[in-house]
């Protein structure tokens, strides 16, 4: 097509789009009734938004009939302001705090207009509010998906005053929850123990969940929560509201219970030490808060997060992940050509599809022999790898697998050429010595600085343009922001440090994805520091934890699965005794746990026995069969490891319910143990499923191997799982686990 013709078509298309959007907008403004229904296939949020009045939240839950909506007010609704601003009624918590340009600290917002527009798979509602005195606007935005049960909400704050205003609080969203016996489920942890589940009833007072790491945000607490509205949380029954703040930086989640019948839930960027000077005409957009509702318990809410995440958030959420070997726990910094080649040959021989070379491959003036130097000097260490990255990529090719590489691009060390050249690029408080991290030398680069952004983009750009066959990047981040000070930001913008860091991070990630849309990228941050829906639009997966101990992973992966799908959870078979907790587990147990996530290996294959290798080879081949069910299926958590039954069990069911994978792990061993018989869930009661055990080590098959049962039977009765494996006496140990593959006939 000729250039002018293309331009005319483009121009016409743009005019048409504008006309359609004006019509759609006008239509919605004209028809905007007081009650605004923001609906997904199964849920809805109802607001009252009269022009000239404050907007109010009336309902969030299962989708209602027209009659019930018409009579909602009479039935009793919260009548809470949909986005309470600070200033009048000061004793209440607020979603927004503003100091106007004349010093007035009060804000009063009233609805000016409501518009609803269509996106291809979602409806977007915008409730625009104006301060009653100042030309200061806040728009509440809601995106309701039409094919998954998720509503994303965010706000856009616009300053049309003549001078800057200061934002002292800027939540993404707010929701009142009717009190009763409401419980909160959230994730808590630390390095090597991330994603542990905490469940507690909401009581009077304020519950705050927050992060102030600066760079990463999910080591300690997570920015996702679930509320069970009908008493003690149940996995497969009861009403649940789930909320996930889609942000990579500091956050604050508050649940305030005062003297009313409501718990008030607020979520947004953590405003602590982050006052934001909003310039005249500037718009501040908050991150999205994703809200879901399910009446199928916690697992139901998880399924909603997983479906939405795979379809709309996660990078390549519709593509199967490769089975990989990562070099870290196998060789640590001891990188060399023969060693890498041997690991590639070994993983290829076991049926793996990708090899990832971890830390230790770079540094010329300061070779990276340990963790105290060279971050920023992303040049290959020719003493270790004389033939460079290109040779490794070629070798991988020869072995019939793909090649991946580790980088930590946001960081440097005081012992590095980069720091010698650019000391002004690090985050540092003026006049003060820098606080250093890992290795006693690590520092964080100031991503708010566009020159640093160019540098960080350049690291990936150089690697991938020089070696286009690199298939995978492990992007690490091993230090919090420990010094408050930007050498780039002006004096009056020092409080923007955290926010600008994450804007810079987003800008770099956008550039990388525009240039390299297909490369797989893992978000690692000293393990699970970057498990959040803020980064996953650019990242394909995250490293759940540096702790690869199978038993502790059951607990961590259980919690993490509340909000994140298996396809995003990197889960590796590692050596025993485990390098973090020094527990000795069987290879079968390690395989059966790793196979419930995105399977990989993190081990020196050279040190494995032939028998272990054979079992891994079999597991990899069987994982390939179940991969679509694990990575795209629906999760049903059955028996929680946290419930002290000495076992845990969960399953994935394909969306068509024609295949399922059932996991059973014993978590304790006592003589004369009596474990519950586990009822399955999520199957089609009328279908018949044939049972096959995977990763079998027993000398004799299970009694039901190859037999068929109806979904109804499996869900009402389940199958007896033997407490021990039937293996030769000298092979017995205290570990027991099963993976059953159910295929509909
Ligand atoms: C972090 C990561 C590990 C590994 C090391 C390398 O700790 O979490 O997986 O990559 O860095 O230094």
């Amino acid at each position: 097509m000729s250039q002018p013709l293309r331009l005319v078509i483009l121009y016409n298309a743009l005019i048409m789009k504008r006309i359609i959007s004006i019509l759609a907008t006008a239509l919605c403004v004209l028809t905007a009734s007081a009650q605004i229904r923001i609906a997904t296939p199964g849920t809805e949020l109802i607001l009252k938004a009269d022009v000239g009045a404050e907007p109010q939240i009336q309902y969030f839950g299962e989708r209602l009939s027209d009659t019930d909506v018409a009579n909602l007010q009479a039935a009793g609704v919260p009548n809470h302001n949909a986005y309470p601003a600070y200033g009048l009624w000061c004793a209440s918590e607020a979603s927004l705090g503003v100091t106007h340009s004349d010093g007035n600290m009060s804000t009063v917002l009233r609805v000016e207009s409501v518009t609803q527009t269509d996106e291809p798979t979602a409806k977007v509602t915008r409730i625009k509010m104006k301060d009653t005195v100042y030309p200061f606007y806040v728009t509440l935005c809601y995106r309701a998906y039409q094919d998954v049960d998720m509503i994303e909400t965010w706000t856009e704050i616009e300053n049309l005053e003549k001078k800057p205003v200061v934002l002292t609080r800027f939540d993404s969203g707010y929701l009142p929850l009717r009190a009763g016996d409401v419980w909160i489920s959230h994730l808590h942890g630390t390095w090597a123990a991330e994603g542990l589940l905490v469940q507690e009833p909401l009581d009077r007072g304020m519950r705050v969940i927050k992060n102030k790491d600066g760079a990463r945000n999910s080591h300690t607490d997570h920015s996702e929560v679930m509320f069970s509205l009908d008493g003690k949380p149940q996995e497969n029954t009861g009403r649940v509201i789930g909320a996930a703040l889609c942000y990579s930086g500091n956050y604050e989640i508050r649940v305030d219970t005062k003297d009313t019948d409501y718990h008030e839930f607020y979520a947004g960027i953590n405003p602590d030490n982050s006052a934001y000077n909003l310039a005249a005409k500037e718009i501040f957009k908050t991150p999205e808060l994703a809200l879901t509702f399910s009446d199928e318990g916690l697992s139901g809410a998880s399924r909603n997060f997983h479906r939405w995440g795979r379809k709309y958030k996660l990078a390549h959420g519709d593509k199967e992940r490769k089975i990989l070997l990562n070099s870290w726990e196998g060789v640590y910094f001891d990188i060399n050509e023969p060693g890498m080649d041997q690991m590639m040959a070994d993983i290829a021989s076991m049926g793996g599809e990708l090899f990832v070379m971890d830390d230790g491959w770079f540094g010329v003036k300061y070779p990276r022999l340990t963790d105290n130097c060279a971050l920023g000097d992303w040049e290959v260490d020719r003493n270790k790898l004389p033939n460079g990255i290109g040779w490794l990529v070629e070798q991988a090719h020869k072995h019939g697998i793909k090649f991946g590489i580790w980088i930590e691009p946001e960081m440097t060390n005081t012992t590095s050429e980069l720091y010698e050249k650019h000391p002004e690029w690090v985050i540092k408080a003026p006049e003060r010595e820098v606080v250093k991290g890992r290795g006693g030398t690590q520092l964080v680069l100031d991503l708010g600085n566009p020159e640093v952004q160019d540098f960080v983009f350049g690291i990936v750009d150089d690697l991938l343009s020089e070696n286009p066959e690199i298939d995978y990047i492990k992007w690490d981040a091993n230090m919090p922001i420990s010094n408050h000070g930007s050498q780039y930001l002006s004096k009056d913008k020092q409080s923007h440090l955290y926010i600008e860091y994450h804007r810079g991070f987003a800008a770099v990630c956008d550039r990388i994805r525009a240039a390299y849309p297909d490369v797989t990228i893992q978000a690692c941050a000293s393990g699970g520091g970057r498990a959040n829906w803020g980064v996953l639009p650019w990242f394909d997966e995250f490293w759940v934890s540096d702790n690869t101990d199978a038993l502790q992973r059951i607990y961590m992966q259980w919690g993490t699965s509340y909000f994140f799908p298996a396809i995003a959870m990197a889960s590796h078979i590692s050596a025993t005794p485990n390098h973090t907790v020094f527990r000795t587990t069987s290879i079968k147990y390690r395989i059966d746990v790793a196979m419930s996530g995105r399977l990989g290996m993190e081990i020196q294959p050279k040190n494995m026995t032939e028998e272990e290798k054979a079992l891994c080879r079999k597991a990899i081949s069987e994982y390939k069969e179940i991969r679509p069910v694990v990575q795209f299926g629906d999760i049903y958590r059955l028996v929680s490891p946290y419930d002290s039954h000495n076992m845990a069990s969960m399953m994935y069911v394909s969306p068509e319910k024609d295949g399922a994978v059932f996991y059973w792990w014993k978590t304790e061993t006592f003589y004369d143990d009596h474990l519950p018989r586990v009822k399955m869930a999520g199957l089609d009661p009328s279908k018949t499923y044939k049972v096959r055990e995977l990763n079998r080590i027993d000398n004799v098959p299970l009694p039901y191997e190859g037999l068929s049962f109806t979904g109804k039977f499996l869900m009402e009765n389940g199958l007896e799982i033997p407490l021990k494996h039937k293996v030769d006496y000298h092979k017995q140990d205290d570990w027991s686990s099963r993976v059953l593959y159910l295929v509909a006939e």
Side-chain angles (χ1 to χ4, degrees):
M1 194 189 298
S2 73
Q3 187 66 3
L5 185 58
R6 233 174 44 206
L7 283 178
V8 169
I9 292 176
L10 190 69
Y11 183 67
N12 286 343
L14 283 176
I15 291 181
M16 275 311 289
K17 220 169 128 191
R18 179 90 189 111
I19 291 172
I20 290 169
S21 108
I22 289 170
L23 278 178
T25 305
L27 186 72
C28 293
V29 170
L30 284 176
T31 57
S33 68
Q35 254 175 337
I36 312 294
R37 297 180 71 168
I38 297 169
T40 68
T43 73
E44 69 180 313
L45 176 69
I46 302 181
L47 291 111
K48 188 162 178 285
D50 293 330
V51 171
E54 67 174 26
Q56 293 184 334
I57 292 190
Q58 293 198 323
Y59 173 86
F60 180 48
E62 198 182 351
R63 209 163 163 160
L64 299 180
S65 71
D66 292 348
T67 313
D68 291 334
V69 173
N71 297 330
L72 198 58
Q73 181 86 36
V77 292
N79 276 334
H80 282 214
N81 189 324
Y83 195 70
Y86 180 79
L88 307 183
W89 306 105
C90 301
S92 296
E93 280 293 308
S95 299
L96 179 73
V98 186
T99 305
H100 294 277
S101 46
D102 61 0
N104 188 342
M105 289 179 68
S106 71
T107 299
V108 177
L109 299 166
R110 295 289 179 256
V111 175
E112 209 183 58
S113 66
V114 180
T115 59
Q116 287 191 305
T117 48
D118 286 333
E119 289 180 351
T121 55
K123 279 192 194 312
V124 176
T125 303
R126 298 173 63 89
I127 302 176
K128 185 166 185 181
M129 305 182 291
K130 181 185 171 301
D131 186 274
T132 50
V133 176
Y134 296 92
F136 178 83
Y137 296 83
V138 175
T139 304
L140 306 181
C141 308
Y142 302 88
R143 174 177 292 113
Y145 286 95
Q146 300 305 291
D147 54 357
V148 291
D149 285 319
M150 193 65 67
I151 297 171
E152 294 164 2
T153 177
W154 71 97
T155 60
E156 293 173 6
I157 304 165
E158 186 176 14
N159 174 23
L160 291 183
E161 296 177 32
K162 293 211 169 69
K163 292 199 183 134
V165 301
V166 183
L167 305 181
T168 51
R169 182 171 283 291
F170 24 80
D171 280 335
S172 293
Y174 163 79
L175 203 63
L177 309 166
R178 182 65 167 86
D181 191 8
V182 178
W183 286 56
I184 186 171
S185 299
H186 60 103
L187 306 182
H188 179 77
T190 183
W191 174 79
E194 295 90 337
L196 298 177
L197 181 63
V198 178
Q199 298 183 311
E200 54 197 341
L202 284 178
D203 217 329
R204 301 275 146 184
M206 178 80 111
R207 185 78 181 83
V208 180
I209 295 170
K210 61 173 172 42
N211 173 269
K212 292 193 191 182
D213 179 288
R216 308 89 43 89
N217 73 10
S218 57
H219 267 130
T220 50
D221 295 291
H222 265 243
S223 64
E224 306 88 26
V225 290
M226 285 193 197
F227 299 104
S228 294
L229 307 181
D230 302 313
K232 197 165 186 300
Q234 303 296 329
E235 281 296 347
N236 292 301
T237 55
R239 296 172 307 149
V240 173
I241 287 175
L245 186 73
C246 307
Y247 191 53
S248 53
N250 291 354
Y251 59 79
E252 191 177 74
I253 286 171
R254 293 165 292 151
V255 188
D256 191 23
T257 312
K258 301 191 308 255
D259 51 353
T260 72
D261 286 336
Y262 287 86
H263 303 291
E264 301 192 54
F265 166 62
Y266 305 79
I269 293 180
N270 193 332
D272 202 21
N273 293 310
S274 283
Y276 191 87
N277 302 300
L278 188 68
K281 299 207 177 113
E282 188 182 346
I283 297 177
F284 183 94
K285 184 171 177 277
T286 70
E288 291 147 358
L289 174 70
L291 295 169
T292 193
F293 171 85
S294 172
D295 59 6
E296 294 177 12
L298 299 160
S299 285
S302 297
R303 291 192 287 278
N304 290 349
F305 277 117
H306 298 179
R307 285 183 197 130
W308 157 82
R310 281 191 302 253
K311 185 137 194 217
Y312 293 108
K313 288 280 162 183
L314 181 66
H316 311 121
D318 59 348
K319 288 208 174 61
E320 284 185 7
R321 304 301 195 247
K322 297 187 183 74
I323 300 161
L324 62 85
L325 169 67
N326 182 287
S327 68
W328 182 241
E329 285 193 23
V331 298
Y332 292 101
F333 292 99
D334 190 12
I335 301 273
N336 56 59
E337 273 179 1
M340 295 297 97
D341 194 41
Q342 162 254 314
M343 287 183 116
M344 288 195 257
D346 278 332
I347 187 62
S349 78
M350 283 187 270
E353 299 155 324
L354 168 70
F355 172 72
V356 182
M357 177 171 69
D358 210 286
D359 199 352
W361 59 267
F362 53 93
V364 174
K365 182 171 172 190
Y366 304 105
R368 178 91 169 162
L369 303 176
T370 180
D371 63 3
N372 65 5
C373 68
L375 293 175
D377 304 346
W378 300 105
E379 206 179 316
V380 75
D381 177 354
R382 296 268 165 186
N383 291 320
K384 291 181 176 178
L385 302 170
N387 295 299
I389 306 294
W391 182 85
L392 293 167
V393 175
E394 269 170 39
Q395 286 306 109
H397 195 83
K398 280 189 197 151
H399 292 297
I401 58 172
K402 299 281 185 188
F403 183 80
I405 195 163
W406 178 95
I407 49 174
E408 194 179 352
E410 297 154 78
M411 308 282 165
T412 189
N413 297 101
T414 45
T415 313
S416 73
E417 292 186 68
L418 179 71
Y419 185 66
E420 285 169 356
K421 230 191 307 165
H422 288 294
E424 78 286 7
W425 279 4
V426 303
I427 289 181
K428 175 187 180 306
E431 309 300 328
R432 305 199 187 279
E433 281 293 307
V434 278
V435 174
K436 294 174 235 166
R438 192 180 184 199
T441 55
Q442 188 156 337
L443 295 172
V444 184
L445 295 174
D446 189 355
L447 263 184
N449 181 343
E451 280 182 30
V452 174
Q453 291 170 25
D454 287 346
F455 170 76
V456 172
F457 171 73
I459 298 165
V460 176
D461 194 33
D462 288 350
L463 267 175
L464 294 184
S465 55
E466 282 162 26
N467 304 285
E469 277 193 60
I470 289 184
D471 188 67
Y472 179 105
I473 286 178
K474 174 171 173 180
W475 178 305
D476 214 335
N478 287 311
M479 191 182 167
I481 293 181
S482 303
N483 305 264
H484 194 123
S486 166
Q487 304 187 73
Y488 168 76
L489 292 171
S490 56
K491 242 188 340 200
D492 61 325
K493 290 209 170 135
Q494 287 297 310
S495 59
H496 294 198
L497 172 74
Y498 295 119
I499 290 172
E500 290 302 343
Y501 186 90
H502 289 277
R503 284 180 176 167
F505 179 68
V508 171
C509 291
D510 278 342
R511 279 171 75 183
I512 291 172
R513 278 307 182 192
Y516 303 101
D518 297 329
V519 66
T520 303
I521 314 183
Q522 180 188 78
C524 176
S526 310
R530 270 197 179 147
N532 64 63
W533 284 113
V535 303
L536 289 175
W538 303 292
F539 291 81
D540 301 68
E541 61 177 32
F542 54 85
W543 185 218
V544 176
S545 177
D546 276 351
N547 183 348
T548 54
D549 169 57
L551 181 62
Q552 195 160 351
R553 274 290 183 122
I554 292 176
Y555 290 81
M556 290 190 273
Q557 293 178 186
W558 188 272
T560 308
S561 79
Y562 269 49
F563 305 99
F564 303 98
I567 190 172
M569 289 164 51
S571 183
H572 295 178
I573 301 164
S574 63
T576 202
N578 176 266
H579 292 189
T580 306
V581 301
F582 302 99
R583 195 189 330 269
T584 298
T585 50
S586 71
I587 184 76
K588 153 84 175 155
Y589 196 79
R590 282 174 273 149
I591 289 173
D592 283 1
V593 173
M595 260 173 105
S596 66
R598 194 282 281 133
L599 176 67
M601 299 186 78
E602 183 98 12
I603 195 166
Q604 171 54 280
K606 206 166 69 174
N607 300 338
M608 293 168 73
T609 63
E610 280 314 309
E611 197 178 349
E612 286 173 335
K613 278 191 188 165
L615 205 59
C616 286
R617 190 172 298 118
K618 185 160 174 287
I620 287 174
S621 131
E622 292 182 337
Y623 185 79
K624 287 177 186 166
E625 286 184 65
I626 60 169
R627 178 158 49 187
V629 183
V630 176
Q631 299 192 354
F632 307 123
D634 288 324
I635 193 168
Y636 290 83
R637 287 179 300 262
L638 305 171
V639 180
S640 170
Y642 295 86
D643 282 350
S644 308
H645 289 301
N646 292 355
M647 46 94 40
S649 178
M650 47 92 63
M651 63 195 288
Y652 300 110
V653 182
S654 72
E656 302 76 25
K657 297 193 184 291
D658 55 0
V661 187
F662 170 88
Y663 299 84
W664 183 99
W665 306 286
K666 201 144 170 281
T667 52
E668 290 269 14
T669 292
F670 293 102
Y671 196 76
D672 195 29
D673 234 343
H674 297 279
L675 306 187
R677 177 158 162 167
V678 183
K679 291 181 190 170
M680 298 190 186
L683 301 170
D684 181 338
S686 62
K687 282 199 165 104
T688 303
Y689 296 89
K690 190 171 186 167
V691 182
R692 178 178 145 212
E693 187 187 2
L694 306 184
N695 308 333
R696 191 182 118 197
I697 55 164
D698 295 39
N699 294 338
V700 288
L702 289 165
Y704 37 77
E705 175 75 26
L707 300 186
S708 301
F709 301 87
T710 60
K712 185 170 187 303
F713 179 86
L714 294 170
M715 292 194 288
E716 286 176 2
N717 298 279
L719 300 170
E720 283 295 357
I721 307 284
L723 301 193
K724 287 165 68 96
H725 291 285
K726 286 199 172 138
V727 291
D728 295 346
Y729 185 76
H730 72 278
K731 287 193 180 162
Q732 286 196 356
D733 59 31
D734 51 348
W735 298 100
S736 177
S737 56
R738 302 281 168 173
V739 181
L740 305 180
Y741 186 24
L742 312 176
V743 180
E745 293 181 319

